[in-house]
Amino acid sequence: MRLKAVAGLSGCRWFSSVLLAGLFILLLYRFDLIESALSPWLRGRSNLVNRASLPQLALQHIFMVGLSSGLSLVLGLGAGIAVSSGRGRQLRSLILDLVSVAETLPSAAVIALAVPLIGYGYWPTVLALVLYGTLPILRNTLIGLDQTDPALLEAAVGMGMKTLQVFFRVRLPLAFPAIISGFRTSLIINTSAATLGAAVGAGGFGVPIVSGLRAMDTITILRGALPVTVLALLLDSVVVSLQQAGVRRLWISATTRT
Amino acid sequence: MISIRNVTKSFGTAKAVDDLSLEIGQGELCVLLGPSGCGKSTTLRLVNRLLEPDSGSVLVGGENTSFLPPHELRRRIGYVIQSIGLFPHLSVHDNIATVPRLLGWPRARIGERVAELLALVGLPDYFAKRWPRQLSGGEAQRVGVARALAADPPVLLMDEPFGALDPLTRVRLQVEFAALQKRLGTTVLFVTHDVGEALRLGGTMVLMRGGQIEQLGRPEDFAHQPASAFVSEFLGPEYGLELLGRYPVMERLRPLSALSSRGAVDSASAAQSGELSLPRIASTANLKEALSAMVAGGNLVALVCDDSGAVLGEISFEDAACLDKEGEQRCV
């Protein structure tokens, strides 16, 4: 009976998101449990380091990731759409190549390069994350929009859709899965790369990681590293659940029932 | 309904359609037939302006298409392609509703129309909620036809719509579509390279070659007076036999003669005793099938039976091998 209930629960779309959210909150408010469990094996006395409260760091981190990923989505989608349609098409393969090259740059290097340009702190990190996070979304938007079956385009045009109708009713909704998978990549990259912002004074979960590294204090490192990992998984799981819950279907019903 | 006047269309230096003129009357089913690259698909696409002619003009319903905005023209013309092109992200209902939505029909009217169309193409109404990936090839093409007919267009363009189906489904859809077309009175321009398909659909046959019309007329004309060696070659040596497939046996039915009634009455017991047993064919069969049954049964007479097996009459080899009414005199 109990097994059945668990099975039913895990079949639920939001099950893993809820589980990860619980784990995340546990890490924020009761890290001492993990600390005491691990202290016999791990070096370090975390009270050596000035403790900023974890929930506060979490807020900084989430805000940083949320802002940069949101901007990345707007930028990547916008640029992708612009390049896929009309005159931008000539630039398509050039931009795809540039994106591939740019993605090989380590995110640490991107943040380090942003510092001399716009200085230390919160905003350089956000900017670097936006630039970096845009790349997978842009690439997947371009590929997704380009993959439309030519027969579908012929059918759409042949039935009397205008260019914009073909785009918003056929090409874009069919590219949705690709775009969302690009957004997931971007979100995970941004969540982990945002920790590097601590090195330039942006706050977030990078703070305990950096100070833990300086003090050779494993437990302090884990105070930043564990919540970041869980946060990345949590955000990804939320996006997947949203996708399954039919963001695309909502879009379709919004655009076709005019 | 459709007038193609002196239309030429080139791709590079190659002329795909070369000074072609064709008139298709209201309610007519016109089959464009020909080998690959003869310009039949190009001709079709010139009608709904997926391609623009280099010279000449196309009229639909008396209006010169080049004066109409392309999307408005296309919403008045149903279009069915071989790959069907059902939108995978839309349900069957939403696929069929495509053109009515473009035309801004109210929701209730669209719902009614979709139900009506599903019935028309022989699909149960719960198919409206299905997704294209859940359909078999035949079902998908029925939905494709329903979608093309959604806004009740006066003209329907079909580009090898049944080409990708298995032979059995293809023949069934061809026969059903021919009946549907007669019932609705839609003007249809149908492209195919399959002679059998052209014959099953009936209507006017237009054989194309090199962007020009090689011969145009009733299927029987092609047999009696082929315009060139190319025509006979394209239609194949069995074309005469294929033609017989167009005629139902019921048109040639005769009452049982004294001789064959013996075989009819006794056929069950005759099979055992080794006496005279005539081949039997269904009343829905065509002349080609009747001949085939005679060959298989080793007799020059076949019995025509209804669904329950009751004998309705007989058909002789001479009756079955006649092409048409004028041909009948030649036969006798």
Side-chain angles (χ1 to χ4, degrees):
Chain A
M1 201 55 205
R2 194 187 297 170
L3 248 172
K4 215 174 181 181
V6 172
L9 208 61
S10 63
C12 168
R13 195 172 279 149
W14 298 96
F15 178 72
S16 60
S17 302
V18 171
L19 203 71
L20 286 164
L23 186 57
F24 185 63
I25 289 167
L26 188 74
L27 281 172
L28 294 189
Y29 289 97
R30 296 308 306 272
F31 196 77
D32 54 311
L33 292 179
I34 289 159
E35 203 174 318
S36 55
L38 293 178
S39 54
W41 292 284
L42 293 177
R43 257 161 50 90
R45 289 283 166 271
S46 46
N47 52 2
L48 288 179
V49 188
N50 175 33
R51 287 182 182 217
S53 91
L54 271 180
Q56 200 185 332
L57 292 177
L59 273 182
Q60 287 175 344
H61 202 96
I62 290 172
F63 193 68
M64 197 150 54
V65 171
L67 187 65
S68 56
S69 288
L71 288 173
S72 291
L73 185 62
V74 172
L75 219 70
L77 201 58
I81 289 173
V83 172
S84 300
S85 43
R87 224 171 290 171
R89 283 204 61 80
Q90 296 142 355
L91 294 172
R92 190 182 167 274
S93 60
L94 176 72
I95 286 183
L96 263 182
D97 289 345
L98 282 178
V99 166
S100 305
V101 171
E103 277 188 313
T104 62
L105 277 176
S107 40
V110 175
I111 290 180
L113 286 172
V115 170
L117 290 177
I118 41 173
Y120 277 90
Y122 189 77
W123 293 107
T125 312
V126 169
L127 179 78
L129 292 180
V130 167
L131 289 178
Y132 204 63
T134 300
L135 302 177
I137 300 175
L138 173 59
R139 176 166 43 88
N140 279 30
T141 306
L142 286 177
I143 291 172
L145 287 176
D146 216 51
Q147 268 173 346
T148 326
D149 182 353
L152 294 181
L153 296 180
E154 182 179 348
V157 174
M159 281 190 291
M161 287 194 195
K162 293 186 243 180
T163 314
L164 278 181
Q165 287 169 330
V166 173
F167 187 82
F168 284 109
R169 296 183 185 211
V170 181
R171 287 181 72 200
L172 193 59
L174 286 173
F176 254 84
I179 294 171
I180 288 181
S181 96
F183 181 63
R184 286 171 62 191
T185 310
S186 160
L187 203 59
I188 291 177
I189 289 177
N190 274 358
T191 309
S192 59
T195 55
L196 298 163
V200 295
F205 286 126
V207 174
I209 295 179
V210 170
S211 50
L213 280 172
R214 287 209 187 102
M216 297 291 278
D217 180 347
T218 319
I219 286 183
T220 305
I221 294 175
L222 286 179
R223 285 182 73 219
L226 284 179
V228 162
T229 313
V230 175
L231 180 63
L233 293 172
L234 170 62
L235 291 175
D236 189 53
S237 150
V238 168
V239 173
V240 171
S241 307
L242 279 175
Q243 183 182 17
Q244 285 168 350
V247 171
R248 183 169 77 145
R249 201 146 306 155
L250 272 178
W251 163 269
I252 289 165
S253 58
T255 51
T256 49
R257 291 179 215 286
T258 38
Chain B
M1 197 65 191
I2 306 173
S3 318
I4 299 171
R5 295 184 183 164
N6 305 100
V7 164
T8 298
K9 175 74 187 175
S10 309
F11 296 113
T13 52
K15 274 187 179 172
V17 173
D18 188 2
D19 194 27
L20 180 120
S21 294
L22 182 62
E23 288 285 334
I24 301 159
Q26 172 118 33
E28 199 179 327
L29 194 162
C30 176
V31 182
L32 289 180
L33 188 64
S36 313
C38 71
K40 54 192 195 299
S41 285
T42 306
T43 308
L44 194 77
R45 288 145 160 268
L46 286 165
V47 176
N48 67 357
R49 287 185 67 188
L50 284 176
L51 295 171
E52 302 283 351
D54 298 336
S55 64
S57 57
V58 178
L59 277 69
V60 172
E63 274 185 280
N64 192 326
T65 56
S66 56
F67 298 145
L68 285 167
H71 64 270
E72 271 177 31
L73 173 75
R74 292 177 192 138
R75 288 172 193 179
R76 288 190 223 164
I77 299 177
Y79 188 46
V80 187
I81 53 179
Q82 180 177 351
S83 47
I84 311 173
L86 290 186
F87 300 128
H89 61 297
L90 298 179
S91 66
V92 166
H93 174 281
D94 289 346
N95 263 291
I96 296 177
T98 305
V99 179
R101 281 199 180 128
L102 290 173
L103 294 170
W105 287 19
R107 217 162 147 179
R109 187 174 164 207
I110 292 177
E112 279 167 28
R113 183 64 181 151
V114 170
E116 206 177 298
L117 285 161
L118 282 174
L120 195 67
V121 296
L123 290 175
D125 53 2
Y126 58 81
F127 266 67
K129 291 199 188 95
R130 298 230 167 141
W131 294 90
R133 62 174 178 278
Q134 300 170 312
L135 305 177
S136 71
E139 289 162 355
Q141 196 51 283
R142 282 168 199 264
V143 174
V145 171
R147 182 172 71 171
L149 291 172
D152 207 3
V155 174
L156 196 56
L157 305 179
M158 307 181 88
D159 195 349
E160 305 203 17
F162 308 132
L165 305 174
D166 66 86
L168 222 69
T169 312
R170 191 187 311 157
V171 170
R172 191 181 321 133
L173 279 183
Q174 285 160 357
V175 172
E176 280 180 31
F177 176 75
L180 185 65
Q181 188 270 338
K182 274 201 193 77
R183 188 143 59 95
L184 296 177
T186 311
T187 308
V188 177
L189 189 55
F190 193 110
V191 162
T192 183
H193 60 255
D194 177 359
V195 178
E197 179 164 69
L199 290 176
R200 275 185 290 274
L201 290 169
T204 312
M205 251 170 44
V206 178
L207 180 57
M208 288 184 66
R209 181 199 195 183
Q212 290 175 320
I213 294 175
E214 189 80 3
Q215 187 170 357
L216 177 155
R218 293 186 318 141
E220 287 76 11
D221 303 336
F222 283 72
H224 297 324
Q225 295 122 15
S228 63
F230 170 79
V231 172
S232 316
E233 195 192 339
F234 183 82
L235 297 176
E238 291 176 18
Y239 181 69
L241 214 47
E242 296 284 341
L243 264 181
L244 289 178
R246 283 165 52 78
Y247 298 92
V249 285
M250 290 307 276
E251 285 181 2
R252 314 286 167 93
L253 192 69
R254 287 175 193 235
L256 282 185
S257 64
L259 186 67
S260 48
S261 55
R262 249 188 68 219
V265 173
D266 295 337
S267 72
S269 54
Q272 292 164 346
S273 58
E275 274 184 78
L276 174 74
S277 162
L278 295 174
R280 288 164 172 256
I281 51 176
S283 56
T284 51
N286 58 48
L287 295 182
K288 188 180 165 194
E289 287 161 349
L291 284 184
S292 174
M294 289 176 205
V295 171
N299 209 301
L300 291 179
V301 178
L303 298 174
V304 181
C305 309
D306 65 10
D307 290 342
S308 61
V311 176
L312 300 172
E314 65 171 39
I315 183 164
S316 68
F317 178 83
E318 287 83 358
D319 292 336
C322 285
L323 206 51
D324 50 18
K325 296 278 184 281
E326 303 99 81
E328 227 162 331
Q329 285 135 13
R330 255 174 272 165
C331 273
V332 173

